[in-house]
Amino acid sequence: MKLIVKKDYDELSRYVANEIAECIRSNPRTVLCLPTGNTPVGVYRELTRMYKEGDVSFAQCVVFNLDEYYPIDPDDPNSYRSFMKHNLFDHVDLPPESANIPNGQAADPEAECERYEAEIRESGGIDLALLGIGRNGHIGFNEPGRELCLRTHVVTLTQSTLEANHGPFGSIEAMPKRALTMGIGSIMSAKRIIVIASGPSKRQAVEAMLSGKVTTDVPASLLQLHRDVTVVLDELVGVSQCDG
Ligand code: F6R
């Protein structure tokens, strides 16, 4: 794993947006995997700025988002579909049919997961996956546990994730308790992976991800087995060394 530490969140965001734009410039048909959450907001802001200044175009790209709550109406303001529209999709030239997110309203969630996985395969596979990391070490919604699923699947969110994510819903009771998420195998099949983390609340998870040990208790630690992962942190995370 390659570790890069930036002075602050803005520098991290600019650096990662540049890496993504560079990748799209060298292959306009880049297939991207993108996360939601607080951490990528700055990257999306920078990509939007670059698009508006004519520095990058998403016209031929395909995006697969990592995950979506279940059940949730895609038009619900707290859905990940709404998040992506608000933070990126509505501001750039990505064709709507190229913006893929698991359907949080699917009548048969397992069938939806199979459909999503098949779409990823048919696209030719992910060229570049951008990932955040949960405080409990999750990536996507692959939560710590005895086993991890390889492919897109339905997951029950852990208490720690409910606590970290309930804010916009007002309470834990009001938020969906399940999600549809790409699996560890879907993520690891990406040709290249960039993981971003900002702030001291991520220190423990980042240390475990870079520790040189692999465990399903820290799903992000499996990324150490991938041959092209760059971890980009800001100084506030407080980690400057990588053993993995
Ligand atoms: C979201 C996702 C999650 C987040 C993680 C970090 O699509 O896949 O794994 O990346 O929970 O979230 P933030 O950035 O809000 O700390």
Side-chain angles (χ1 to χ4, degrees), residues 96 119 228:
E119 290 272 334
D228 190 354

Side-chain angles (χ1 to χ4, degrees), residues 34-41 44 65-69 80 83-84 130-142 161 164-165 181 187 196-198 201-202:
L34 296 178
T36 58
N38 294 321
T39 321
V41 169
Y44 297 154
N65 259 75
L66 273 169
D67 42 22
E68 177 61 283
Y69 289 118
Y80 283 172
F83 175 97
M84 289 307 294
L130 177 65
L131 307 176
I133 175 171
R135 285 177 229 170
N136 63 0
H138 73 205
I139 45 174
F141 276 132
N142 294 280
T161 297
N165 289 16
T181 182
I187 295 171
I196 49 175
S198 164
S201 68
K202 297 294 171 69

Side-chain angles (χ1 to χ4, degrees), residues 111-130:
E112 170 60 8
C113 292
E114 272 176 40
R115 183 199 67 79
Y116 200 67
E117 195 68 34
E119 290 272 334
I120 297 172
R121 246 189 340 265
E122 277 156 29
S123 76
I126 292 159
D127 295 303
L128 173 59
L130 177 65

